[in-house]
Amino acid sequence: MGILKAELDKVRRLGWTYLAILGMNAFSGAMFLIFLILYLKSSALDDVAKASVEMERQALTLLYFVFVTETWVFSFLGVFFFGILIGELVGREFDSGSVGLLFMSPFTRLSTFIAKLVSVLLVYFISLGLNLTILMATVFILSRVHSVFLRIIDPMVIFKLLGAQVLIDISWIGLMFLVSTMSRGVASTLAYTIFIYFFLLFVDAVIWLGAQFQFIGPWLVKAGAFTFTNSCRVLDSQHVGKYFTRAISDFPLAFNLLGLNVAYTFVFLLLAAYAFSKREI
């Protein structure tokens, strides 16, 4: 508990902690303010609600846009801000040698690593709680426009999507911890994380193109379905437009790769813990 308290105090004193929480929720806050201003200053939304004979379809489209956009931007910004935060807690400490003071304490390297991980996860869940609060406030504003917004919400589907998003976000945090154990400071941690992010997307794109134009083997196409980035997808964004006229429970959801995503998370964290315990100061 002593090392955890020390790491929590360190996170509390870091300015990047508060910037991460605010930065990850900046888009959500801006979206809420836009809807709030529209609701208070004009009758534009109300006029649309009353005039449209397809209100439920339009409401579903808008609700989907609000929910998916907020959660996706929240996760994307998390890669940036948590890359900086984890770089501060791991990469910079190794680069400056200050981590040596921790290793001189009676706590093991593994317990130090776990304390850093728990501290970062606590910041993540605080950020997530703020994001969900803003999201609920946005839905409340929309429900004031028309009650259809509350009628079309399927709580179980929303709960599953949020749960999947949490697992996916934690897997990226695990990857960033792994990267930070091999980096020298904040800049390199962030640069390597962003590079890996786009490199993995590039690999997926090459496999997809290879399947379309048949210049790679079918075995590689099948293997490509189990990449890390594919395990992070629970919504078929390519075909979701077809589902705007249906209930949210009919969206093309796919949770079958979440188990693989959890496996990736454990692998990332085990490798990160090993690298952290073996890295020289």
Side-chain angles (χ1 to χ4, degrees):
M1 291 300 294
I3 186 63
L4 178 58
K5 183 178 183 300
E7 290 298 322
L8 289 174
D9 287 340
K10 189 183 304 179
V11 168
R12 181 176 56 82
R13 293 193 302 267
L14 277 176
W16 281 112
T17 300
Y18 305 99
L19 185 61
I21 294 173
L22 294 176
M24 290 174 65
N25 289 283
F27 181 83
S28 302
M31 185 176 292
F32 168 74
L33 288 176
I34 289 173
F35 284 117
L36 180 62
I37 292 171
L38 287 173
Y39 173 70
L40 295 176
K41 298 297 184 181
S42 73
S43 59
L45 291 177
D46 191 51
D47 290 342
V48 171
K50 292 178 180 179
S52 176
V53 295
E54 299 180 325
M55 180 56 199
E56 189 161 325
R57 180 184 65 82
Q58 293 184 8
L60 185 61
T61 302
L62 183 58
L63 186 64
Y64 166 80
F65 172 80
V66 170
F67 179 81
V68 174
T69 304
E70 281 197 7
T71 53
W72 185 86
V73 172
F74 176 83
S75 298
F76 180 80
L77 291 175
V79 174
F80 176 80
F81 286 106
F82 275 93
I84 296 175
L85 183 60
I86 294 172
E88 283 278 357
L89 292 175
V90 181
R92 184 185 291 277
E93 290 192 358
F94 271 105
D95 188 44
S96 65
S98 61
V99 74
L101 297 175
L102 290 175
F103 296 159
M104 293 173 62
S105 67
F107 304 105
T108 64
R109 287 199 177 198
L110 179 60
S111 61
T112 302
F113 174 82
I114 292 174
K116 290 180 180 293
L117 175 61
V118 171
S119 300
V120 170
L121 289 177
L122 180 61
V123 176
Y124 167 77
F125 282 110
I126 291 174
S127 302
L128 180 66
L130 179 58
N131 185 261
L132 293 180
T133 301
I134 296 173
L135 180 61
M136 288 188 292
T138 304
V139 173
F140 174 77
I141 292 296
L142 293 175
S143 68
R144 298 289 294 174
V145 175
H146 204 292
S147 60
V148 68
F149 285 101
L150 293 179
R151 201 166 60 243
I152 62 176
I153 291 178
D154 188 327
M156 185 55 65
V157 174
I158 297 297
F159 177 78
K160 288 181 179 179
L161 284 172
L162 287 175
Q165 196 62 50
V166 169
L167 292 177
I168 292 167
D169 290 344
I170 292 176
S171 68
W172 278 103
I173 289 175
L175 177 59
M176 285 185 280
F177 261 99
L178 176 59
V179 170
S180 69
T181 59
M182 299 178 285
S183 304
R184 301 187 65 84
V186 176
S188 57
T189 299
L190 183 60
Y192 293 155
T193 300
I194 293 176
F195 171 78
I196 291 173
Y197 178 84
F198 286 104
F199 176 76
L200 292 174
L201 293 179
F202 173 76
V203 170
D204 284 347
V206 170
I207 294 175
W208 182 83
L209 288 173
Q212 297 298 311
F213 296 100
Q214 299 181 347
F215 61 79
I216 61 174
W219 65 271
L220 187 57
V221 175
K222 293 180 180 179
F226 301 98
T227 62
F228 171 61
T229 44
N230 276 330
S231 75
C232 294
R233 297 191 181 111
V234 294
L235 195 63
D236 187 356
S237 57
Q238 294 181 348
H239 302 100
V240 76
K242 300 176 181 178
Y243 292 78
F244 278 163
T245 57
R246 302 187 183 184
I248 195 169
S249 57
D250 290 330
F251 281 156
L253 303 176
F255 300 106
N256 54 307
L257 289 182
L258 280 182
L260 178 63
N261 183 263
V262 173
Y264 273 117
T265 302
F266 276 107
V267 170
F268 293 154
L269 291 176
L270 287 175
L271 291 175
Y274 178 80
F276 186 87
S277 64
K278 296 298 182 181
R279 181 173 174 176
E280 296 184 0
I281 304 172

